[in-house]
């Protein structure tokens, strides 16, 4: 029997005390770290777990928009690759100082992504 793949879970440097309902939104402002190689994205996650700022880790590891700290700007629902969109809209808002991000990384045709959401619209 094939093992069902579970959805990526959000990780944060500090455990969350209570789980809030996410605001229903049709757009988000997001950042990501994109790496083609799985080993490289795992190194980026290791840096995040050491409480490094998300934008600084993106500058050092991301292969997409590193100079912008991985900033993707405002993204509308329906404009992203399926797995990326599903994971991104499941995340709560967070900051680069205390990011809540996807762990394990999200796999798309572009590579592996670590995603965080800064604002929900």
């Amino acid at each position: 029997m094939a093992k069902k793949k579970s959805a990526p879970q959000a990780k944060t440097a500090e455990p969350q005390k209570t789980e809030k309902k996410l605001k229903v939104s049709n757009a988000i402002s997001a950042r990501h770290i994109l790496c083609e190689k799985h080993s490289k994205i795992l190194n980026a996650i290791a840096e995040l777990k050491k409480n490094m700022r998300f934008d600084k880790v993106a500058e050092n590891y991301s292969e997409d928009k590193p100079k912008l700290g991985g900033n993707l700007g405002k993204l509308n629902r329906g404009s992203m690759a399926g797995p990326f969109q599903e994971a991104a809209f499941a995340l709560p808002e967070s900051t680069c100082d205390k990011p809540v991000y996807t762990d394990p990384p999200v796999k798309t045709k572009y590579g592996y992504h670590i995603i965080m959401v800064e604002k929900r619209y």
Side-chain angles (χ1 to χ4, degrees):
M1 209 165 149
K3 193 173 185 181
K4 188 175 178 185
K5 197 171 185 180
S6 61
Q9 300 297 311
K11 298 285 181 172
T12 181
E14 297 176 11
Q16 293 179 339
K17 302 273 190 264
T18 59
E19 202 165 313
K20 293 193 297 186
K21 275 222 182 225
L22 292 179
K23 173 183 166 188
V24 176
S25 58
N26 290 316
I28 55 172
S29 177
R31 290 180 183 266
H32 79 148
I33 300 167
L34 170 64
C35 300
E36 188 176 332
K37 300 220 180 269
H38 191 257
S39 59
K40 187 174 180 183
I41 202 78
L42 293 178
N43 289 337
I45 285 178
E47 294 297 313
L48 289 168
K49 288 181 179 179
K50 293 179 190 173
N51 295 325
M52 279 191 71
R53 287 179 56 90
F54 192 94
D55 54 346
K56 297 301 178 198
V57 175
E59 286 175 15
N60 294 330
Y61 288 90
S62 188
E63 297 164 12
D64 181 41
K65 304 193 184 297
K67 291 183 179 170
L68 298 174
N71 190 352
L72 296 171
K74 187 175 180 182
L75 302 167
N76 293 316
R77 191 181 292 273
S79 68
M80 298 161 265
F84 185 102
Q85 176 173 287
E86 184 179 317
F89 278 92
L91 291 168
E93 291 180 358
S94 64
T95 64
C96 286
D97 285 333
K98 295 187 183 201
V100 177
Y101 53 88
T102 53
D103 185 9
V106 177
K107 174 79 168 111
T108 68
K109 65 181 180 180
Y110 304 106
Y112 297 92
H113 306 261
I114 303 169
I115 308 163
M116 70 162 283
V117 171
E118 292 183 300
K119 185 158 178 66
R120 301 174 73 82
Y121 300 95

